[in-house]
DNA sequence: CCGAGTCGTTCCATTAAATGGAACTCGAGT
DNA sequence: ACTCGAGTTCCATTTAATGGAACGACTCGG
């Protein structure tokens, strides 16, 4: 099924910073003969996996793909429950919140809730972040055993720091970052899991550093924690530790 | 490229109300030999187009698909501009807003902004609605010529009503529905297009019928219209008509 | 503990599709 | 008119998809 893999490779190209693709982009990025690239994009177009932008030769993901992220959300009880909690916290405090999942060494947001404050962090849904460099990523990595993290980050320079940071997250019950990925932006994150499906998600709030002091931060952690604890109990997530603040 | 089409057909199954798929679901829904279904799902799994839920045999869209909706949004300047307008209106009035696109006789939301009011309409992103039965759909259909609508809905029972309704939308500059798709829920929608790419989107606000009178509705229409007019001017959308209220 | 039923995977010969080099088309820019 | 880059089409070769049938795993009711 080589076509499928090629098609998946094409779709992966959209991942990082590439808003659209042409035949020659695909040739360059994937090192594929251009006859193949041309036919592949055509077939993907006909299958609604891609569509052209206007009548140019540039391609973007097709309509078929639009609903799949929503289908993913709908397939998971955990995501639905977590969304309720974050949506409420986001509405109360006015900061942007999101739900994210880990995929190897990366995290992706699966749902976001725009804050309402005049100064708020714009959500970055659909953009992959390195798990070890974000609060939401570390809250998810902390759920892995220490060995699993070692295996995942074997040979990685940041492993020592990460190990220490994760044990702190495990002890505290939440992850925190201050101006780490983005200057002026802090984040808090708590993870929960569904033992029946082995999936884990992170509940995260991001906010402008200047607007929230430690007291305000702890208030939001408590709000997330309350909802997360209820979900953990309902689903039987025995690994959940209530945050200590 | 028959695999691609089969894969696309599988992905389409997630569209309506089907949160997960098994091999036999695929056999039943697509009438495919089960040997093929089994191998196809396996290949899609390996390409990250699907993933299993826990260690069961149930499949959902894979992580690869999660970012594609966001890539779609990023590829379109129009969607970005429209999102700003709806996000602001949603924050001001506290009602849920979304941006949607038309795909034949259906409309899909591509972005949503949860309202903050205690009583708010929960967004239905990723669920396809019949275009002729929703305000957002009619605001987009109104952009088509009358002949194009006739061609699209040839033989459809609702064509006469729809034609009349659309000419009203064209004249008013906005579409309105009161308790149409959902009891107790009203909606307003304004569409704009980017002539360079031939894409059109609808800016839509949905709100509880009981909470908003005509005056409040017109205020929101004016807010959307103001943002939409600015976008229409910037992009050169000559077909845009400013709402008359 | 057994057998019927359901579900998923694997095997294998047949058939159909993907592959990649080269030739061809189309526009844009000297 | 010529060239350059981008995209598509052609064709013989190779490779992968197909579907019937057999096989393994599991569940339910007796």
């Amino acid at each position: 099924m080589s076509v499928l893999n090629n098609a998946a490779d094409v779709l992966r190209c959209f991942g990082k910073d590439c808003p659209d693709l042409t035949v020659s982009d695909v040739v360059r990025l994937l090192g594929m003969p251009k006859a193949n690239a041309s036919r592949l994009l055509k077939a993907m177009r006909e299958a609604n996996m891609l569509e052209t932008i206007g009548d140019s030769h540039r391609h973007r993901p097709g309509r078929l793909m639009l609903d799949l992220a929503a289908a993913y959300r709908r397939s998971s009880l955990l995501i639905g429950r977590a969304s309720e909690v974050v949506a409420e916290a986001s509405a109360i405090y006015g900061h942007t919140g999101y739900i994210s999942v880990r995929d190897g060494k990366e995290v992706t947001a699966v749902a976001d809730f725009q804050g309402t404050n005049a100064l708020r962090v714009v959500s970055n849904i659909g953009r992959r972040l390195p798990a070890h460099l974000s609060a939401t990523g570390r809250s998810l990595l902390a759920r892995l055993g220490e060995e699993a993290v070692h295996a995942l980050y074997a040979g990685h320079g940041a492993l020592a720091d990460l190990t220490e940071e994760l044990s702190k997250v495990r002890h505290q019950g939440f992850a925190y970052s201050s101006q780490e990925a983005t200057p002026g932006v802090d984040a808090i994150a708590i993870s929960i899991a569904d033992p029946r499906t082995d999936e884990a998600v992170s509940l995260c709030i991001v906010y402008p550093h200047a607007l929230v002091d430690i007291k305000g931060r702890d208030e939001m952690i408590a709000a997330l924690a309350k909802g997360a604890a209820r979900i953990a109990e309902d689903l039987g997530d025995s690994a959940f530790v209530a945050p200590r603040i």
Side-chain angles (χ1 to χ4, degrees), chain A:
Chain A
M1 307 237 187
S2 145
V3 235
L4 261 191
N5 289 298
N6 287 335
D9 287 339
V10 168
L11 294 177
R12 251 180 281 276
C13 292
F14 289 110
K16 27 189 305 163
D17 50 354
C18 184
D20 48 58
L21 287 174
T22 63
V23 170
S24 12
D25 288 336
V26 172
V27 169
R28 184 165 2 93
L29 292 169
L30 303 180
M32 168 188 297
K34 67 176 176 176
N36 287 5
S38 175
R39 278 177 306 221
L40 178 59
L41 292 194
K42 184 181 176 192
M44 291 178 74
R45 237 156 36 215
E46 283 164 0
N48 286 301
M49 288 184 174
L50 294 181
E51 62 185 38
T52 54
I53 302 181
D55 48 5
S56 72
H57 286 139
R58 300 183 309 146
H59 294 75
R60 66 174 161 207
R63 298 288 157 90
L64 173 56
M65 304 312 194
L66 271 183
D67 305 336
L68 293 176
Y72 187 95
R73 278 194 288 274
R74 242 176 286 138
S75 77
S76 164
L77 175 63
L78 182 58
I79 293 174
R81 297 288 308 267
S83 295
E84 287 173 26
V85 172
V86 171
E88 190 184 337
S90 170
I92 292 174
Y93 298 102
H95 300 303
T96 296
Y98 50 90
I99 308 292
S100 48
V101 295
R102 185 179 61 87
D103 187 11
K105 291 191 238 188
E106 294 180 319
V107 285
T108 323
V110 296
D112 69 334
F113 304 91
Q114 281 258 3
T116 50
N117 292 341
L119 180 60
R120 62 178 181 244
V121 180
V122 58
S123 84
N124 58 350
I125 191 167
R127 204 157 295 166
R128 287 170 180 264
L129 293 174
H132 70 288
L133 293 179
S134 57
T136 182
R138 286 192 298 267
S139 76
L140 289 164
L141 288 173
R143 298 207 136 249
L144 296 174
E146 196 148 312
E147 335 71 58
V149 174
H150 271 257
L152 193 59
Y153 284 89
H156 199 288
L159 179 56
D161 288 350
L162 180 63
T163 305
E164 190 183 345
E165 191 62 40
L166 291 186
S167 75
K168 197 167 133 194
V169 172
R170 286 191 197 97
H171 180 257
Q172 289 181 144
F174 67 91
Y176 169 62
S177 73
S178 183
Q179 316 202 54
E180 184 178 26
T182 319
V185 171
D186 293 5
I188 53 174
I190 295 180
S191 73
I192 49 176
D194 185 340
R196 292 178 312 156
T197 60
D198 268 329
E199 57 185 352
V201 301
S202 171
L203 292 66
C204 181
I205 303 271
V206 290
Y207 53 89
H209 177 76
L211 249 59
V212 178
D213 58 11
I214 288 287
K215 185 163 161 292
R217 184 202 74 166
D218 289 349
E219 211 176 300
M220 292 193 288
I221 292 174
L224 285 188
K226 192 176 156 202
R230 201 171 47 233
I231 299 174
E233 190 183 359
D234 289 356
L235 300 183
D237 176 15
S238 54
F240 178 77
V241 288
R244 313 154 206 241
I245 36 185

